[in-house]
Amino acid sequence: MNLPRPRKIGLALGSGSARGWSHIGVIRALERAGIVPDIICGTSIGALVGAVYAAGELDRLEPWVRSLTWKSVVGLLDFKMGGGLIEGGKLVDFFRARFQDEGIARLGKPYGCVATELYSGREVWLREGPVIDAVRASIALPGLFTPAQQEGRLLVDGGLVNPVPVSLCRAMGADVVIAVDLNWDIMLKHRRVVETEKENEGPASRGALLDAILAKLRPVARGDDGGVAAIDMPSMLDVLTISLNIMQMRITQSRMAGEPADIVIRPRLDNVAPMDYHLAAPTIAEGERAAEFALPQIHDALG
């Protein structure tokens, strides 16, 4: 008598800059419920958290993440003009000094992450070689981090092509995929703006969309007479990261429509800015809340 093969659970951790600390909370909530993923895939910040989890080092990462201050975050950034604002060497050196990198093949769980080949736009699945090098390529947000160089290729953030890597989880053998979408709250926050763009396709409407979203992100200041006063312009970094988030929001929507996960966990993180890496505690807590909310659906999917 052949017993049925246990169903393999894949966890697809999405991109989202500082909102990615919520992945820690998601993993903690799943583990408490007895749900242990067999396959871990990640894009961008999801690649980083996923790699640490696959290595069995989450207990070391979480206290450090919770201890981050704005000053310590800035201290990890090595600013450089040319290819991106941040070289990324300090961050890579930090992780190399604290985590032993024996390669993706030696991780405790099957792991893969997504990057984008810069000149071709091709989606690249990184499933072998040094872990830190793979993560560095996946988090190379264009304009912010300089591209990573691997085997004669320039690689940038995987969120440009596959923000929530459900397809990679399936390809690696997952029967049930739990996806964590960090862009969903942005979708909800700007739904009216996005629907307006849909009805008025074209270059002009896309420019108006960005202007409208930036206006929503910055409160309008009113003068003493009740009129609209001048609004502080966002920083170049804000414009860059917000614009990339808008793009990833739309790509996520499209990819997940064609490659749906079995369960999607959607933390509500509209109050966490892309560079708010020092807000780990509330971000992790929201990940836990969102995962706990999804538990009944997960149990149903697992049978």
Side-chain angles (χ1 to χ4, degrees):
M1 177 179 178
N2 293 325
L3 295 175
R5 179 179 64 86
R7 305 178 79 189
K8 288 187 177 180
I9 302 172
L11 181 62
L13 302 176
S15 61
S17 302
R19 295 190 297 273
W21 295 148
S22 63
H23 289 317
I24 297 173
V26 168
I27 292 167
R28 295 302 194 195
L30 293 179
E31 287 186 328
R32 283 198 301 270
I35 299 165
V36 182
D38 302 290
I39 296 165
I40 312 297
C41 296
T43 296
S44 197
I45 188 68
L48 190 156
V49 175
V52 174
Y53 177 48
E57 297 283 3
L58 202 61
D59 287 343
R60 291 181 61 199
L61 178 71
E62 184 175 352
W64 174 74
V65 164
R66 289 181 179 274
S67 72
L68 286 174
T69 63
W70 178 246
K71 185 177 179 180
S72 61
V73 171
V74 173
L76 286 170
L77 306 179
D78 41 3
F79 293 97
K80 172 187 177 181
M81 294 304 292
L85 292 175
I86 299 166
E87 177 68 25
K90 277 189 178 181
L91 191 61
V92 168
D93 290 344
F94 175 87
F95 280 101
R96 287 197 199 283
R98 286 160 177 78
F99 296 94
Q100 188 173 0
D101 187 350
E102 297 183 348
I104 292 174
R106 299 291 298 276
L107 291 174
K109 294 176 182 288
Y111 168 82
C113 66
V114 179
T116 305
E117 192 169 22
L118 181 61
Y119 289 120
S120 69
R122 187 171 66 90
E123 181 175 340
V124 178
W125 291 352
L126 301 172
R127 297 177 55 185
E128 58 184 23
V131 178
I132 293 175
D133 289 351
V135 170
R136 171 63 179 87
S138 189
I139 67 171
L141 198 66
L144 183 60
F145 281 94
T146 58
Q149 299 185 47
Q150 283 195 26
E151 300 176 358
R153 304 175 297 186
L154 289 177
L155 302 179
V156 294
D157 197 301
L160 296 178
V161 290
N162 195 352
V164 185
V166 174
S167 56
L168 179 52
C169 267
R170 301 277 190 208
M172 291 178 64
D175 301 304
V176 177
V177 176
I178 302 170
V180 185
D181 177 8
L182 303 181
N183 297 317
W184 182 249
D185 58 330
I186 300 175
M187 288 180 177
L188 293 176
K189 187 174 184 180
H190 305 301
R191 175 176 289 170
R192 280 194 298 248
V193 179
V194 173
E195 287 175 349
T196 301
E197 182 213 18
K198 248 189 209 177
E199 293 169 4
N200 304 286
E201 295 289 354
S205 67
R206 282 192 281 272
L209 170 67
L210 179 56
D211 289 341
I213 289 180
L214 289 175
K216 285 177 176 289
L217 290 169
R218 296 288 177 177
V220 176
R222 297 197 175 273
D224 295 335
D225 60 355
V228 178
I231 303 172
D232 290 336
M233 287 299 293
S235 69
M236 179 181 71
L237 186 58
D238 282 342
V239 173
L240 177 64
T241 53
I242 292 167
S243 300
L244 287 167
N245 281 334
I246 295 167
M247 178 190 65
Q248 290 189 39
M249 171 189 75
R250 302 307 300 273
I251 296 169
T252 301
Q253 190 176 40
S254 176
R255 288 294 299 254
M256 294 191 72
E259 301 161 350
D262 297 280
I263 303 97
V264 182
I265 297 172
R266 296 185 172 106
R268 300 294 298 271
L269 297 163
D270 58 316
N271 59 333
V272 179
M275 295 301 290
D276 282 347
Y277 290 99
H278 59 296
L279 299 181
T283 305
I284 291 171
E286 173 55 21
E288 290 182 295
R289 184 208 65 79
E292 288 168 355
F293 181 79
L295 286 177
Q297 187 184 2
I298 295 172
H299 286 303
D300 285 346
L302 295 175

